[in-house]
Each structure stands twice: as structure tokens, then as C-alpha cells.
Amino acid sequence: MAVAPASNAFIAPEINSFGQSFRDYNAGSERQKSVEEFYRLNHINQTYDFVKKMREEYSKLNRVEMSIWECCELLNEVVDDSDPDLDEPQIEHLLQTAEAVRKDYPNEDWLHLTALIHDLGKVLLLPKFGGLPQWAVVGDTHPLGCAFDEAIVHHKYFKDNPDHNNPSYNSKYGIYSHGCGLENVMMSWGHDDYMYLVAKENGSTLPQAGLFIIRYHSFYPLHKSGAYEHLMNKEDEQNLKWLQIFNKYDLYSKSKVRIDVEKVKPYYLSLIDKYFPEKLRW
């Protein structure tokens, strides 16, 4: 069960570092145009068969062997083209998020670490991890194998997705059943599912809520709009409470405030040692 935050809790700002509302996909800037083009490609190319192929390929975990912190440092090379709120290296965002969570939930160390590592799967953009295109790594996620809900941002582009006209996939339930559980649902491929796979297969001892946050933090149609709730089971409902707490920090802690990496590094290294092996297969 979710606990109340500490006093002096983090207050979400109303505008991002570009002076726009957060997650405003209609603001008429050049960055917004590139974000829309990103979602056009994402919605056309993310099909059930594509995701199945990606899951099979990346479940081999045969590309790199390294620690969690080494991966955090690698993420400095990544900028997320789908994000209308952020144009700084990802490690800044990871630490901003983790430190904001730590301030409000000082006793939930698993949540601090989850915040730090939730976006590490974005290394899929780098050559040694396959150099996948942005549309196959970042952005909001959604289920495949059933109808594309109207709550999905830039929904209009799904008309050119092959699954859109497939009678097996284009009904409310598609290939699924009521309350089947999100673990049984094929989600669009990206950094969420990849990092979940890495954590799970390398024997992370993070609680289920932490793994759920990693896997579904980009599933905005669910945790922002309530879409696809008919596929959730009881465990999903409990974990979603933590995801909704986390999401406030993930979204709104993106700011120009710099974090002293060396100052906070020892604390996060101790958490990594607690919940993960020294080296992981990626």
C-alpha cells in the first residue's frame, strides 16, 4: 500500500524548461513538430509482430556486460526526441527524479533506486545495443493485440498501422480477456520493457511495485487517462498506485536545476549493491 510523502513535499511546477505546459503535444514549436513526427513513425511501425521479434531478440541479453552505474553514465550520450519537456542528457533527469522522490519518501529506498534506473533502457539507441531508431525506444507505450485507444497521443497515425485493420487485433479485447493482467499483454517495444527484462532476468530484488514502475512508466494512456483498465488484475491495481505516485516525479522533476553527481553517487551505489548484482547482462 502506498504511504504518504514526507512534509515539505515536492510541488509540481506548471511549466517545463521551454516555458510550455508539460506534455503539451500541440504547442507550435520546432520541437513539437519533431515530437509529432516521432509519434507518426511510432504508430505506423509498432506492430504485434515487430514487438514479438524485439522481445525474442533482446531476451538473449548477449550484447554487453556492465554495472547499473556504468549504464547510468552511458545514458549521458542519449537525448530523447519524443520528450517535449526535456533536451538535456538523461542522467540529469534520472538524478532529478530520484532526488525528488528521496526527499518526499525517505524510507522507500527501492523507490529512489527505481527512479534512478527507470530510463536506463534508452541505451537501446546506442550502437552497441543495436542502435534502434527513436520510435522503437522512447515515447508513450500502449498495448498491441487489441484496439488502439483514443487516449493514445497522436492517435490519428494508427490508421497506417497494419494491425489497425486486422480483425484479430482491432476490437476492445483483441486477443486478451477481461482482467488477464498486464504481464500477459504485449506492450509496444521500447526502453520500459527492455529495462524490465534486464532487471528481472538478472535477478534484481526490487519489489514488484518497482518492476511495475519500470515496465509501465511510459504507459500514459493507462495512468493518465484510465484506458485499458479492463485488462488489469488485482495486483496491477495495487502497483498502479505506486506508479501514479512515481509519475509526478518522473514528469515534473525535469528542470534546469543541476544535481551534484559526485555528492549523491555513494548513496545510489549502495542501493545498486543492495538490489542488483555487481555486473548485469544487457
Side-chain angles (χ1 to χ4, degrees), residues 5-240:
S7 57
N8 302 315
F10 170 76
I11 304 297
E14 294 183 2
I15 59 171
N16 63 20
S17 56
F18 298 104
Q20 306 284 354
S21 299
F22 283 92
R23 286 182 60 82
D24 181 354
Y25 291 94
N26 298 310
S29 67
E30 284 304 311
R31 184 155 182 82
Q32 295 296 344
K33 289 172 189 170
S34 70
V35 169
E36 179 163 352
E37 174 59 12
F38 161 85
Y39 276 108
R40 187 183 73 82
L41 294 171
N42 175 280
H43 293 352
I44 292 170
N45 292 299
Q46 289 269 5
T47 64
Y48 187 91
D49 287 345
F50 169 76
V51 174
K52 190 177 176 188
K53 178 181 158 195
M54 288 294 100
R55 278 193 180 183
E56 288 170 359
E57 175 61 29
Y58 281 93
S59 65
K60 297 173 186 173
L61 299 176
N62 61 358
R63 294 175 182 272
V64 180
E65 189 171 290
M66 64 179 173
S67 70
I68 290 285
W69 191 262
E70 285 172 319
C71 191
C72 289
E73 293 179 330
L74 258 189
L75 219 62
N76 266 332
E77 302 172 29
V78 171
V79 172
D80 180 346
D81 283 352
S82 76
D83 193 338
D85 302 318
L86 190 70
D87 66 348
E88 292 183 342
Q90 293 292 312
I91 196 166
E92 293 276 326
H93 166 53
L94 298 183
L95 287 167
Q96 286 167 355
T97 307
E99 285 294 283
V101 171
R102 182 182 174 190
K103 179 173 177 283
D104 288 358
Y105 293 87
N107 299 320
E108 309 293 336
D109 67 355
W110 65 271
L111 193 58
H112 312 163
L113 182 58
T114 298
L116 179 73
I117 69 172
H118 75 282
D119 273 346
L120 291 189
K122 290 180 180 179
V123 293
L124 287 172
L125 293 164
L126 303 176
K128 68 172 71 171
F129 294 87
L132 295 182
Q134 290 262 344
W135 61 260
V137 180
V138 296
D140 293 5
T141 58
H142 56 269
L144 281 307
C146 59
F148 300 117
D149 193 276
E150 294 279 347
I152 303 170
V153 67
H154 293 304
H155 180 274
K156 61 188 176 186
Y157 294 117
F158 284 119
K159 70 183 189 306
D160 295 320
N161 183 303
D163 291 358
H164 180 67
N165 296 314
N166 185 331
S168 297
Y169 298 154
N170 63 10
S171 63
K172 178 179 177 178
Y173 286 95
I175 62 174
Y176 308 114
S177 59
H178 189 85
C180 64
L182 294 181
E183 66 178 341
N184 297 307
V185 173
M186 189 80 83
M187 297 294 294
S188 53
W189 177 253
H191 71 282
D192 302 54
D193 230 21
Y194 177 57
M195 188 58 211
Y196 167 78
L197 188 69
V198 169
K200 185 166 176 274
E201 294 304 316
N202 280 281
S204 171
T205 55
L206 280 174
Q208 279 302 313
L211 295 174
F212 186 92
I213 288 169
I214 291 168
R215 194 174 198 183
Y216 301 111
H217 69 270
S218 300
F219 190 6
Y220 277 90
L222 171 66
H223 52 79
K224 184 168 184 271
S225 305
Y228 300 104
E229 287 181 344
H230 54 283
L231 300 179
M232 294 170 61
N233 60 23
K234 293 294 184 187
E235 187 177 6
D236 293 332
E237 290 170 11
Q238 291 302 312
N239 289 330
L240 183 61

